[in-house]
Amino acid sequence: AQKVTQAQTEISVVEKEDVTLDCVYETRDTTYYLFWYKQPPSGELVFLIRRNSFDEQNEISGRYSWNFQKSTSSFNFTITASQVVDSAVYFCALSEAGYGGATNKLIFGTGTLLAVQP
Amino acid sequence: GAGVSQSPSNKVTEKGKDVELRCDPISGHTALYWYRQRLGQGLEFLIYFQGNSAPDKSGLPSDRFSAERTGESVSTLTIQRTQQEDSAVYLCASRTGFPLTGELFFGEGSRLTVL
């Protein structure tokens, strides 16, 4: 069965600090996709990144970076020089990559609430 | 519209009443998903539509929950005889139909409160 664990329930940092959000996943599939979504106080989920299981290159987008390690089944998310606007709940999710009738639904972790204090 | 649209945004109902929640996905997105998010928790998958059919209903918590989709567009999630534990935000998401590996686009959700 597929499972996503985000062990950090809440994190509080002061603006400009770096912060890493952990994500550990379980799957028997050899091909799968990993996602990160941001849910600000307004409630709407905002897509941040999608990574397939064959691409272990780290990715950087501005202040955001992601570290994907298949050996430890982890897909961690780092925000550099955090800002108050980064305050949100962040969700990691896993999806199979099947075809021919597979639902490819996203299985979400329980989320990490990040509070960035000014 | 440009995004996934859900209505109502807020619904307060009495225990035992039926409710209908509506989702209008992004035009052209044949895949549609319903999720439930209880307060402070993650997203639970409810049901998946591909076109008008629902090949995966595995997440529906009881037979009080049902959903349909017509015309490969609008979907309605119906909860009969609501219970207090049904209180949650119900999120709808859509994506292009093939391949099913792209991002899910989410609506803002319908917040249901059962008194």
Side-chain angles (χ1 to χ4, degrees), chain A residues 37 50 103-106, chain B residues 33 35 56 95 100-101 104:
Chain A
Y37 279 84
R50 180 193 71 161
T103 68
N104 289 18
K105 58 181 177 277
L106 269 63
Chain B
Y33 302 78
Y35 283 84
D56 189 348
R95 73 193 331 176
L100 281 176
T101 55
L104 283 184

Side-chain angles (χ1 to χ4, degrees), chain A residues 34-83:
Chain A
L34 296 163
F35 299 77
W36 275 93
Y37 279 84
K38 173 182 180 180
Q39 188 176 42
S42 61
E44 189 167 357
L45 282 124
V46 177
F47 167 79
L48 296 178
I49 190 172
R50 180 193 71 161
R51 174 54 50 87
N52 76 55
S53 53
F54 294 109
D55 182 3
E56 286 194 71
Q57 275 196 326
N58 290 335
E59 180 154 344
I60 298 174
S61 176
R63 295 183 298 107
Y64 295 170
S65 62
W66 291 268
N67 184 302
F68 175 32
Q69 294 198 344
K70 286 180 82 168
S71 61
T72 55
S73 296
S74 65
F75 187 44
N76 296 338
F77 173 32
T78 297
I79 301 175
T80 303
S82 59
Q83 300 177 1

Side-chain angles (χ1 to χ4, degrees), chain B residues 50-94:
Chain B
Q50 178 60 256
N52 294 340
S53 65
D56 189 348
K57 306 179 183 179
S58 63
L60 294 178
S62 75
D63 59 9
R64 296 187 296 104
F65 287 72
S66 63
E68 64 177 20
R69 187 178 185 195
T70 55
E72 292 198 352
S73 57
V74 173
S75 175
T76 302
L77 177 69
T78 301
I79 309 173
Q80 296 179 309
R81 305 181 302 282
T82 52
Q83 304 294 312
Q84 288 183 333
E85 67 258 26
D86 300 334
S87 296
V89 176
Y90 290 83
L91 292 159
C92 176
S94 69

Side-chain angles (χ1 to χ4, degrees), chain B residues 1 6-7 10 16 27 32 38 50 54 72 75 90 99 106 113-114:
Chain B
Q6 292 188 247
S7 62
N10 273 288
S27 178
L32 185 148
R38 289 191 166 124
Q50 178 60 256
E72 292 198 352
S75 175
Y90 290 83
F106 282 87
T113 302
V114 182

Side-chain angles (χ1 to χ4, degrees), chain B residues 21-34:
Chain B
L21 307 176
R22 175 189 167 107
C23 172
D24 201 342
I26 292 173
S27 178
H29 282 188
T30 59
L32 185 148
Y33 302 78
W34 283 97

